[in-house]
């Protein structure tokens, strides 16, 4: 074991109220919005397939040219209340918005740069309007902040010379100032989502990231930060050099999920962030370039995350004018319709302590030990759901969440294992079966085979 002085700051898993709320939220909306939304992946008539928020590098655009987009940023269609209503109807309990992406443009009026919303035709504190509207809908707000900053003259990928090191000291001060400014201006913010921390410059500053996490948590007690914020003094990221998780939850699942049967992942808090297209975070004008995920695919990801004690952060990329494309509005509505009927298997739910089975996913509410949720995505060809619980578990009753009076026929096929007869009729959406268990002391002893 290495001696790590600047590794984990807060003992995990956190059991304070703020973290319990974060955990029970389960479903969040990611918003990527910045100057990149203006060109939307197309530059001088050429469409670039790579992620639209990377157009500056994909199209080899100079910083001066890119930064002049600032004078075009005027989201006349932006209506924070409308955005917050769409999010509320979709069923998200929290939102994470890019305050500053790699381009360096700030959606809030910052004292530390002119490359911000104040110096655009819009002028007003857009981020402030956004936070107020979402909080009024009862949605927690967390802020995405990119340490990597293509605009800032003191950004360095690597610190080779003394001049590099001096420049990066200024960049670190700028970063700390902006983050403290964000927490000062927006005290209701619940979390910070760091990105752009993979370069050598940051890995060489592990102690700084430790001290910064400490300062930010002193400024905003209960603040929740992702593991991506941190490096230890040896340059190890997310997990310190002894494999101990840093930050407050693991944020390595970007556009990918763990294996559905992976149990190890359930021991930490974690979050998966996901795009609707194959790989677009910022607005891209052309969504015919790759597969666009359906609401069923996205609902299955949300359910899988919940089944493994993870949160699901689904990304939306609004247009430069400040409205969402129709496909995103439609998906938000479809997901919201499903959540209207089934959110009880998501909010305040997590890993049921059971092996994944072929019909779908188990989730269990943190508030009850004698009920288990089965979220079905695959109907069995033999018309019976094989349900394998822990040994000694006895099902008292099983029924559809949508038809609680109608009990399933049960057939006990082994200790803690049952067949449930399938429901009649077609189900076009994923549906929920509630399993009510006999409480523990009423169990009948079942002879285990001697082999
Ligand atoms: C190689 C790469 C760098 C940065 C990213 C950023 N992280 C996501 C959360 C988005 O912000 C994306 O732009 C993605 C891939």
């Amino acid at each position: 074991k290495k001696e790590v002085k600047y590794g984990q700051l807060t003992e995990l898993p956190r059991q304070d109220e703020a973290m319990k709320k974060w955990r029970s939220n389960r479903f969040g909306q990611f918003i990527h919005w910045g100057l990149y939304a203006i060109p939307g992946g197309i530059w001088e008539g050429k469409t670039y397939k790579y992620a639209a928020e990377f157009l500056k590098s994909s199209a080899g655009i100079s910083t001066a040219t890119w930064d002049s987009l600032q004078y075009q940023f005027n989201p006349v269609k932006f209506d924070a209340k409308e955005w917050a209503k769409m999010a509320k109807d979709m069923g998200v309990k929290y939102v994470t918005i890019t305050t500053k992406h790699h381009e360096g443009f700030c959606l809030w009026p910052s004292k530390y740069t002119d490359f911000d919303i104040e110096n655009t035709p819009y002028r007003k504190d857009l981020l402030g309007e956004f936070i107020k509207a979402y909080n009024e809908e009862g949605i927690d707000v967390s802020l995405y902040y990119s340490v990597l900053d293509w605009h800032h003259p003191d950004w360095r990928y690597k610190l080779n010379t003394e001049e590099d090191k001096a420049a990066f000291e200024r960049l670190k001060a700028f970063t700390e100032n902006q983050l403290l400014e964000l927490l000062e201006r927006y005290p209701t913010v619940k979390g910070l989502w760091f990105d752009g921390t993979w370069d050598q410059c940051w890995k060489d500053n592990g102690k700084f990231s430790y001290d910064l996490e400490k300062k930010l948590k002193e400024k905003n007690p209960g603040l929740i930060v992702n593991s991506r914020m941190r490096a230890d003094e040896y340059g190890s990221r997310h997990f310190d050099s002894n494999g101990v998780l840093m930050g407050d939850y693991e944020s390595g699942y970007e556009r990918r999920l763990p294996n559905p049967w992976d149990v190890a992942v359930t021991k930490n808090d974690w979050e998966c962030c996901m795009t609707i297209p194959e790989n677009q975070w910022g607005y891209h004008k052309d969504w015919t370039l790759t597969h666009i995920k359906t609401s069923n695919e996205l609902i299955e990801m949300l359910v899988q995350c919940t089944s493994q004690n993870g949160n699901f952060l689904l990304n939306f990329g609004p247009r430069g004018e400040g409205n969402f494309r129709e496909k995103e509005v439609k998906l938000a509505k479809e997901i919201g319709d499903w959540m209207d009927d089934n959110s009880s298997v998501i909010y305040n739910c997590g890993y049921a302590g059971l092996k994944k089975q072929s019909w779908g996913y188990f989730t269990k509410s943190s508030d009850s030990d004698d009920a288990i949720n089965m979220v079905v995505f695959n109907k069995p060809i033999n018309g019976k759901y094989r349900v394998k619980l822990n040994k000694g578990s006895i099902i008292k009753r099983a029924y559809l969440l949508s038809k609680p009076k109608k009990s399933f026929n049960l057939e006990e096929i082994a200790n803690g294992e049952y067949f449930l007869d399938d429901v009649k009729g077609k189900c076009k959406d994923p549906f929920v079966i509630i399993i009510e268990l006999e409480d523990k002391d009423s169990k009948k002893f079942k002879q285990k085979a001697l082999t």
Side-chain angles (χ1 to χ4, degrees), residues 116-397:
D116 66 358
I117 194 73
E118 209 167 5
N119 298 281
T120 68
Y122 189 78
R123 294 195 59 73
K124 293 171 295 197
D125 177 4
L126 185 150
L127 182 61
E129 294 170 348
F130 176 92
I131 293 169
K132 182 169 177 294
Y134 273 75
N135 282 169
E136 280 168 0
E137 285 287 357
I139 298 173
D140 294 339
V141 175
S142 113
L143 303 181
Y144 166 112
Y145 181 89
S146 174
V147 170
L148 165 60
D149 188 321
W150 296 331
H151 169 82
H152 199 291
D154 290 327
W155 171 263
R156 297 289 185 283
Y157 289 97
K158 284 180 70 174
L159 311 178
N160 295 320
T161 66
E162 283 318 301
E163 198 281 330
D164 288 343
K165 289 189 182 115
F168 206 72
E169 285 309 304
R170 293 191 295 270
L171 194 283
K172 282 156 56 177
F174 167 77
T175 301
E176 179 169 319
N177 287 336
Q178 283 209 315
L179 287 160
L180 290 169
E181 176 181 52
L182 283 166
L183 295 186
E184 178 67 27
R185 290 181 61 87
Y186 312 111
T188 65
V189 157
K190 300 294 180 214
L192 290 173
W193 206 101
F194 287 80
D195 202 8
T197 55
W198 43 79
D199 287 311
Q200 196 54 44
C201 57
W202 194 253
K203 292 196 269 193
D204 290 350
N205 279 278
K207 177 181 182 303
F208 175 73
S209 71
Y210 178 92
D211 295 340
L212 181 59
E213 181 182 354
K214 200 154 177 286
K215 271 189 193 129
L216 295 170
K217 287 183 168 177
E218 281 158 5
K219 173 88 181 155
N220 178 324
L223 186 74
I224 295 166
V225 301
N226 63 341
S227 58
R228 205 178 289 208
M229 170 189 189
R230 293 296 320 281
D232 72 4
E233 66 265 39
Y234 302 98
S236 181
R237 295 181 58 238
H238 293 271
F239 293 86
D240 76 10
S241 302
N242 291 323
V244 176
L245 183 62
M246 297 185 279
D248 299 305
Y249 62 93
E250 209 266 303
S251 66
Y253 289 101
E254 179 170 319
R255 291 194 307 110
R256 66 187 177 93
L257 282 156
N259 287 326
W261 52 88
D262 177 349
V263 173
V265 75
T266 64
K267 73 178 186 337
N268 286 320
D269 288 305
W270 57 279
E271 177 192 73
C272 163
C273 58
M274 187 56 69
T275 51
I276 294 173
E278 193 271 325
N279 182 14
Q280 292 294 339
W281 297 92
Y283 174 72
H284 196 296
K285 283 178 182 156
D286 185 350
W287 264 22
T288 65
L289 299 170
T290 68
H291 173 63
I292 302 301
K293 297 176 188 75
T294 61
S295 49
N296 266 352
E297 288 174 80
L298 297 167
I299 290 164
E300 179 160 4
M301 293 179 181
L302 167 61
V303 171
Q304 180 187 334
C305 288
T306 303
S307 78
Q308 293 176 280
N309 276 347
N311 282 12
F312 186 61
L313 187 65
L314 180 58
N315 184 71
F316 287 74
R319 295 191 179 95
E321 302 92 330
N323 58 355
F324 292 97
R325 60 179 354 116
E326 294 62 38
K327 272 197 176 176
E328 285 183 328
V329 174
K330 184 166 172 288
L331 279 168
K333 170 93 177 60
E334 289 168 357
I335 295 169
D337 289 347
W338 189 82
M339 287 295 279
D340 286 346
D341 300 331
N342 301 286
S343 62
S344 61
V345 306
I346 301 293
Y347 301 147
N348 200 30
C349 289
Y351 176 52
L354 299 169
K355 287 186 181 59
K356 161 104 176 68
Q357 283 151 48
S358 55
W359 39 261
Y361 308 82
F362 284 117
T363 76
K364 189 181 82 59
S365 164
S366 317
D367 294 338
S368 86
D369 277 339
D370 53 12
I372 293 172
N373 309 311
M374 290 171 55
V375 193
V376 179
F377 289 84
N378 315 302
K379 293 192 70 167
I381 197 162
N382 69 353
K384 294 175 183 299
Y385 297 94
R386 177 185 288 273
V387 180
K388 192 167 172 33
L389 305 170
N390 291 320
K391 293 250 180 293
S393 292
I394 305 208
I395 298 182
K396 180 158 68 176
R397 194 164 86 87

